[in-house]
Amino acid sequence: MRYSRDLRGYGETTPDPQWPGGARIAVQIVLNYEEGGENSIEHGDAASEAFLSEIIGAQPWPGKRHWNMESIYDYGARSGFWRLHRMLRDIPVTVYGVATALERSPELVAAMKAAGWEIATHGLKWIDYRDIPREVEADHIAQAVELHTRVTGERPRGFYQGRCSMNTVALGCEEGGFEYLADTIADELPYWHVHNGKPQLMVPYTMDANDMRFSSGQGFGTGTDFFDYLRDSFDILYAEGAAGAPKMMSIGLHCRLAGRPGRAMAIQRFLDHCRQHEGVWFASRLDIARHWAELHPYQPRQRPSQMDRNSFVQAFGSIYEHSPFIAERVWDAEMGAVHDSASGLAARMAQVFRSASDEERLGVLNAHPDLAGKLAQAKRLTADSTAEQASAGLDSLTDDERATFTRLNDAYVAKHGFPFIIAVRDHDKPGIMAAMQARIDNDTPTERAEAERQVMRIGELRLKEALK
């Protein structure tokens, strides 16, 4: 089984985004424009809208118009938008514009364009796509792009469906004209997603630094709550950037929510807070996408989880000495992006090794050669073992050293029944010899456990070399 989700991402050390001017943080503000694109029987839908409004616990009204719900959305277009526009018009904002909503608001579109804002597509209609057939959603995306282009004068370069389906990201990739997709909350930096062999840049969005939490049971109650959360998010990301790991802070706003006076003040206070700091890059999502694509273009790389079985076993079958069954069982089990790193693949191989029978594990131990033994002299070691023993100087022993190693090897095998095993890349020659002297005196169960730990450590070191 191949696990599709990438739970590893960039890992412990994130790439340096090299934001323009050496900025410590990229602040990206999204203004969702959905007013006029929401569920309504007047829009041809089966029921009224019930999502993201002041009406907590709202339910759809099948076949009926919901006057309060509609007028809440009307407020976003009539008043909330303009309040936020006054605050943000000098900042590079990205608008997530529902195509049918944009079509119904020509003056607002003109204001967005005059401010130089990026207008990305938020789909054709602001509806829930989870149960919409794939072909219908694909048609809606195509219609959204076509209508968006007619309304704004240019096609959208970014796509965020929002209430997406399991097909949305794939359909966004297949549309072929988007410089980025945003239906992901997986990171604080852009990343490349591969679909059908082709890379697609993802610029993650947010659900936490988002005014939608004013409309949920567990969320913000006051503008101060929202400001505090935005400020704290900014401060920790700014500090991480100052320490050498800059990130992107994404903020989501809605005209009918953040556009209310008591909430808009939080936005103003947050902007003032940002402006008190040096090294803050306000950017649209398209700015960020193009910056990332230029400085961090997609780089094809070997991904063990995507290899066919024969290739995988050929590449990694010798990681555990003369024991390809470990690699075979790894491939046959669940694999995903977490196993594409040396540490991740080493952990899975160790798991398989621990799960093997006692006889199989003993066979792996006995597959290892004696250190500086007869196989080494006859140049019959595997390439990995040859390099490892050479790294510790075991390929250039004096006669006395070779005699000592031979004596210790023989004594060890005679007592424990398997060769002395140690990750030689972790030690030098004197350290290896001292370990041999000490471990001969262990009881066999203790030494068996230590030998197995060393086998797994050797596998990890070999994978780090193989997957540089």
Side-chain angles (χ1 to χ4, degrees):
M1 172 187 170
R2 290 302 168 265
Y3 190 65
S4 64
R5 291 163 58 190
D6 182 352
L7 301 180
R8 179 172 182 267
Y10 290 118
E12 182 179 5
T13 304
T14 55
D16 181 358
Q18 302 175 55
W19 299 137
R24 298 176 180 180
I25 185 173
V27 176
Q28 203 296 296
I29 297 175
V30 165
L31 183 60
N32 291 268
Y33 192 72
E34 299 150 352
E35 287 74 9
E38 77 279 8
N39 279 287
S40 169
I41 63 170
E42 196 170 18
H43 300 160
D45 302 304
S48 63
E49 186 56 70
F51 193 50
L52 290 192
S53 77
E54 307 293 347
I55 306 172
I56 304 298
Q59 296 297 316
W61 288 11
K64 298 178 181 178
R65 293 179 65 183
H66 192 315
W67 194 258
N68 282 350
M69 182 65 71
E70 289 184 10
S71 59
I72 287 171
Y73 275 76
D74 293 348
Y75 177 90
R78 293 161 59 110
S79 186
F81 170 84
W82 294 111
R83 179 170 289 115
L84 295 174
H85 178 265
R86 288 191 293 272
M87 288 183 177
L88 300 170
R89 59 188 170 194
D90 295 327
I91 292 175
V93 166
T94 291
V95 176
Y96 285 165
V98 174
T100 50
L102 295 175
E103 183 183 33
R104 294 185 173 105
S105 300
E107 291 180 81
L108 277 63
V109 170
M112 297 171 192
K113 295 176 65 176
W117 292 351
E118 176 205 358
I119 310 177
T121 186
H122 198 356
L124 180 66
K125 303 176 66 172
W126 198 63
I127 60 176
D128 191 343
Y129 280 90
R130 62 180 171 177
D131 295 323
I132 300 293
R134 192 183 199 278
E135 61 275 13
V136 174
E137 186 177 3
D139 181 61
H140 279 201
I141 293 171
Q143 289 186 58
V145 171
E146 193 275 333
L147 179 56
H148 184 109
T149 303
R150 283 194 282 113
V151 169
T152 69
E154 56 183 325
R155 70 152 289 147
R157 297 298 175 183
F159 172 43
Y160 176 70
Q161 189 81 283
R163 298 159 80 175
C164 60
S165 75
M166 62 181 288
N167 300 309
T168 299
V169 170
L171 292 172
C173 294
E174 292 165 15
E175 196 277 340
F178 296 120
E179 296 188 41
Y180 71 88
L181 305 182
D183 278 295
T184 174
I185 318 163
D187 215 302
E188 291 156 347
L189 288 173
Y191 63 91
W192 292 99
H193 169 74
V194 177
H195 176 69
N196 290 341
K198 294 182 179 180
Q200 172 67 63
L201 188 62
M202 309 294 289
V203 180
Y205 189 44
T206 178
M207 295 295 180
D208 66 313
N210 192 311
D211 66 2
M212 67 180 288
R213 292 181 58 199
F214 281 112
S215 65
S216 64
Q218 179 190 8
F220 303 124
T222 69
T224 299
D225 293 339
F226 192 30
F227 167 70
D228 286 348
Y229 193 86
L230 294 179
R231 179 202 59 211
D232 290 350
S233 299
F234 174 91
D235 286 351
I236 197 165
L237 290 172
Y238 188 85
E240 290 178 6
K247 306 287 194 322
M248 175 182 98
M249 179 178 178
S250 186
I251 301 163
L253 306 178
H254 298 76
C255 301
R256 63 193 174 280
L257 297 176
R260 293 282 177 176
R263 298 167 184 155
M265 181 57 74
I267 308 303
Q268 187 60 63
R269 292 174 64 195
F270 175 70
L271 295 176
D272 293 342
H273 181 72
C274 293
R275 287 166 176 150
Q276 292 170 9
H277 294 73
E278 295 181 354
V280 177
W281 182 39
F282 286 98
S284 71
R285 300 180 82 76
L286 188 58
D287 292 335
I288 290 171
R290 288 177 172 173
H291 174 87
W292 197 268
E294 180 180 357
L295 273 72
H296 302 276
Y298 174 70
Q299 300 288 346
R301 62 184 179 87
Q302 181 185 43
R303 296 188 61 190
S305 68
Q306 301 301 310
M307 297 170 72
D308 64 69
R309 194 175 193 272
N310 288 337
S311 298
F312 182 86
V313 174
Q314 183 176 3
F316 303 109
S318 63
I319 296 299
Y320 279 61
E321 193 83 6
H322 296 296
S323 303
F325 78 90
I326 299 290
E328 292 168 352
R329 292 179 189 177
V330 167
W331 194 94
D332 291 340
E334 178 183 288
M335 287 189 71
V338 295
H339 304 116
D340 291 335
S341 69
S343 60
L345 187 53
R348 175 47 62 86
M349 285 192 155
Q351 178 184 347
V352 168
F353 175 66
R354 294 188 192 102
S355 301
S357 69
D358 183 81
E359 182 181 2
E360 288 172 325
R361 296 198 311 278
L362 183 59
V364 174
L365 300 187
N366 281 314
H368 279 259
D370 289 338
L371 290 181
K374 294 180 181 179
L375 289 179
Q377 294 181 56
K379 301 187 182 301
R380 292 174 54 198
L381 297 179
T382 65
D384 285 330
S385 290
T386 299
E388 288 159 359
Q389 295 203 21
S391 73
L394 300 185
D395 61 338
S396 57
L397 300 175
T398 65
D399 290 342
D400 287 345
E401 288 173 333
R402 189 174 302 283
T404 300
F405 270 108
T406 299
R407 174 177 57 80
L408 292 173
N409 278 326
D410 291 344
Y412 184 94
V413 173
K415 180 173 182 179
H416 299 302
F418 48 82
F420 175 79
I421 300 171
I422 193 168
V424 296
R425 291 189 186 276
D426 287 335
H427 301 82
D428 57 14
K429 185 163 53 180
I432 293 169
M433 193 170 292
M436 290 183 76
Q437 295 274 14
R439 285 171 50 186
I440 284 176
D441 295 331
N442 286 338
D443 60 80
T444 295
T446 298
E447 191 52 29
R448 170 73 181 271
E450 179 59 30
E452 291 187 3
R453 281 193 292 272
Q454 293 298 322
V455 163
M456 290 182 280
R457 175 60 177 162
I458 291 168
E460 180 182 10
L461 292 170
R462 287 179 175 180
L463 284 168
K464 286 182 178 178
E465 187 68 24
L467 293 174
K468 279 184 177 177

